[in-house]
Amino acid sequence: MTHTDQRTGLTLLRPGDVGYDDELAAFQLGFVQRPDAIAPARTAEDVATAVRYAAERGLPVGVQATGHGLPGGYEGGLLVTTKRLDGITVDPEARTVRVRAGVRWGQVVRAAEPYGLAPLNGSAPGVGAVSYTLGGGLGILAREFGYAADHVRWLELVTADGTLRRVTPDSDPDLYWALLGAGQNLGIVTELEIGLVPVRTLYGGSLAFDGRTVDPAAALRAYEAWTRTVPDGLTSSFAAVPYPDVPALPPHLRGTYVVSVRVAHTGPGGADIVAPLREIGPVLSDSLREMPYAESHTIHSDPDFPHAYYGDSAVLRELDVERSGELLRRTGPAADLMCVVQVNHLGGALARPAPNAVPYREGRFLVRVLTVGDRKRARTVLDPVFALLADDTLGRSLNFAFGAGDRGAGLYDAETRKRLARVKETHDPANLFRRNYGVSPC
């Protein structure tokens, strides 16, 4: 059952309606979303109508596409779902793609492949392309090409007054700057155009080691030293995952502690560059190979099924290998909760200035820790773990707040935060879009 607002024609789902819970279904299962009403949008005009409806009634507005990056539980207000805003248009001559708000990165990869082009997507093909880009977009080729946000040509969004507008660096440089890095804090983006890169193939995959026979801290030290030798065209990460001994896992993973290095490189000599990593120890598995870009999701093989998770991140000036080794000990098999640790090598094109609000470009590493427990238990593990890194921490990453995005501290440096607040005051003074990650009107 749905309800239709007689004046606006807006279709709404309310608690108790058939379809309400299905509409809320998301990839992140760890948080309860209970808005007063849901507006399923099929067009940009549907989004505009929903925003006007909420503004007239003083209802806070949230937005959900795939539900990978939910900042936390959502109670009350109006939730606009954009998963039906589907549509991709590739311009192979201009090397651009127009992407609507419900599109996932796997769809964009497939659409660009026939032209020998690739988007600057992340590791998981099921993530929403638009929401990922609004948070910056740290992709598998990030050190070579920068953040996905750095390549956006224009955005179409509905602002707090219910107006659908196109924003470019020339038409509204402040709003353009703020949208790319501040998520959905200033409106609901319904479509954007982003540049593609001429990549057909890459050298990539994973080298995995058994953390029970190879010292994880020593492996991390070797990885950090290796990153100082690699070219900007090589993007990589280090991961440590203790797998539980449960029947649901493949036999070779049950009860193991896997440490691995994941690599993506589009230039020549990839195998030679990676060779020093093999000295870490006996290899548990090796998937490194030349591959079509369409297979790049296999580098990380992220889970593709909905599940509950909670975590946080820290952008670091440097990686203190001794403190990071202690981090691995506290998050390994003996931890109170299962933890997944990932260390991304930054720098390269990520350090280049760009006209957007993506902060901490001087960072050299990003550390992410994800847990599968509830929020309160997770914080008892995460808080002391990130305290170990505090001396080298610049801040946190919005896209990798892992359900902690409701805690705004550290998501932006002081100057970026002040500028975002000024843009917020101009375009949403009533704070209609209240999932604001700590950026409120002045």
Side-chain angles (χ1 to χ4, degrees):
M1 176 182 177
T2 59
H3 304 269
T4 301
D5 180 71
Q6 295 302 311
R7 187 172 65 82
T8 64
L10 182 67
T11 298
L12 298 169
L13 288 166
R14 300 189 183 278
D17 290 346
V18 174
Y20 176 90
D21 290 331
D22 289 341
E23 192 66 22
L24 289 175
F27 188 84
Q28 163 64 282
L29 301 181
F31 304 104
V32 177
Q33 307 283 91
R34 301 302 296 177
D36 293 330
I38 307 171
R42 295 183 180 277
T43 66
E45 184 52 45
D46 288 345
V47 175
T49 301
V51 170
R52 290 192 293 268
Y53 174 91
E56 290 170 0
R57 292 159 178 79
L59 297 173
V61 177
V63 60
Q64 177 177 305
T66 66
H68 277 72
L70 299 179
Y74 185 86
E75 299 286 341
L78 178 69
L79 181 67
V80 181
T81 54
T82 59
K83 59 188 175 183
R84 295 175 183 81
L85 271 69
D86 206 3
I88 302 169
T89 305
V90 176
D91 184 338
E93 297 299 321
R95 292 182 180 174
T96 61
V97 60
R98 294 173 57 178
V99 180
R100 300 186 77 208
V103 171
R104 300 168 188 249
W105 272 129
Q107 296 171 264
V108 186
V109 171
R110 291 190 295 273
E113 182 188 22
Y115 306 105
L117 300 171
L120 295 175
N121 55 287
S123 59
V127 169
V130 168
S131 51
Y132 160 99
T133 303
L134 297 181
L138 180 66
I140 57 176
L141 299 178
R143 278 176 43 83
E144 182 174 4
F145 296 107
Y147 289 99
D150 300 345
H151 297 261
V152 172
R153 309 297 178 85
W154 53 258
L155 309 95
E156 181 183 84
L157 82 154
V158 176
T159 47
D161 58 1
T163 300
L164 181 66
R165 58 193 296 180
R166 179 171 292 194
V167 177
T168 72
D170 296 324
S171 70
D172 195 331
D174 283 341
L175 183 56
Y176 173 90
W177 171 88
L179 286 169
L180 296 169
Q184 301 280 15
N185 187 42
L186 296 158
I188 299 180
V189 174
T190 57
E191 186 175 3
L192 57 76
E193 183 177 88
I194 189 169
L196 300 169
V197 294
V199 174
R200 287 185 180 272
T201 63
L202 57 79
Y203 177 82
S206 171
L207 273 182
F209 308 89
D210 189 335
R212 298 168 299 180
T213 58
V214 171
D215 178 10
L220 182 58
R221 285 196 298 272
Y223 171 71
E224 191 277 338
W226 173 78
T227 62
R228 295 179 182 275
T229 70
V230 301
D232 287 352
L234 189 144
T235 304
S236 67
S237 63
F238 174 95
V241 184
Y243 289 95
D245 188 2
V246 295
L249 290 173
H252 71 283
L253 289 179
R254 295 176 192 169
T256 61
Y257 183 30
V258 177
V259 294
S260 61
V261 178
R262 288 81 67 89
V263 171
H265 179 58
T266 64
D272 292 336
I273 298 170
V274 172
L277 294 173
R278 299 183 184 278
E279 299 175 9
I280 290 174
V283 174
L284 185 65
S285 65
D286 179 355
S287 64
L288 289 167
R289 68 194 190 280
E290 292 285 342
M291 66 175 71
Y293 191 82
E295 296 178 11
S296 60
H297 63 280
T298 64
I299 296 172
H300 292 75
S301 295
D302 290 335
D304 60 359
F305 53 88
H307 57 286
Y309 48 97
Y310 186 78
D312 216 332
S313 61
V315 182
L316 306 181
R317 298 179 186 87
E318 291 291 341
L319 185 69
D320 184 311
V321 291
E322 296 305 320
R323 288 176 178 157
S324 300
E326 178 63 21
L327 180 149
L328 292 178
R329 285 187 282 276
R330 295 192 187 188
T331 56
D336 292 337
L337 295 174
M338 178 185 172
C339 297
V340 176
V341 175
Q342 180 163 314
V343 181
N344 287 79
H345 183 207
L346 305 179
L350 294 167
R352 298 171 189 163
N356 57 52
V358 180
Y360 309 124
R361 289 178 178 265
E362 68 272 34
R364 188 160 177 261
F365 288 95
L366 169 70
V367 174
R368 304 186 249 165
V369 183
L370 180 150
T371 71
V372 294
D374 64 70
R375 180 185 300 208
K376 187 174 290 186
R377 287 190 66 206
R379 291 248 63 97
T380 65
V381 174
L382 295 172
D383 288 346
V385 160
F386 282 104
L388 289 170
L389 308 175
D391 288 347
D392 292 314
T393 296
L394 294 164
R396 302 161 60 222
S397 172
L398 176 59
N399 270 0
F400 303 112
F402 292 131
D406 53 342
R407 297 189 307 111
L411 291 175
Y412 305 98
D413 59 87
E415 287 305 312
T416 299
R417 187 185 178 96
K418 288 178 183 177
R419 185 176 174 186
L420 285 171
R422 292 194 294 269
V423 178
K424 179 78 168 174
E425 177 66 29
T426 299
H427 293 282
D428 185 16
N431 202 15
L432 188 70
F433 302 103
R434 294 179 193 173
R435 297 166 109 183
N436 56 30
Y437 311 109
V439 180
S440 57
C442 298

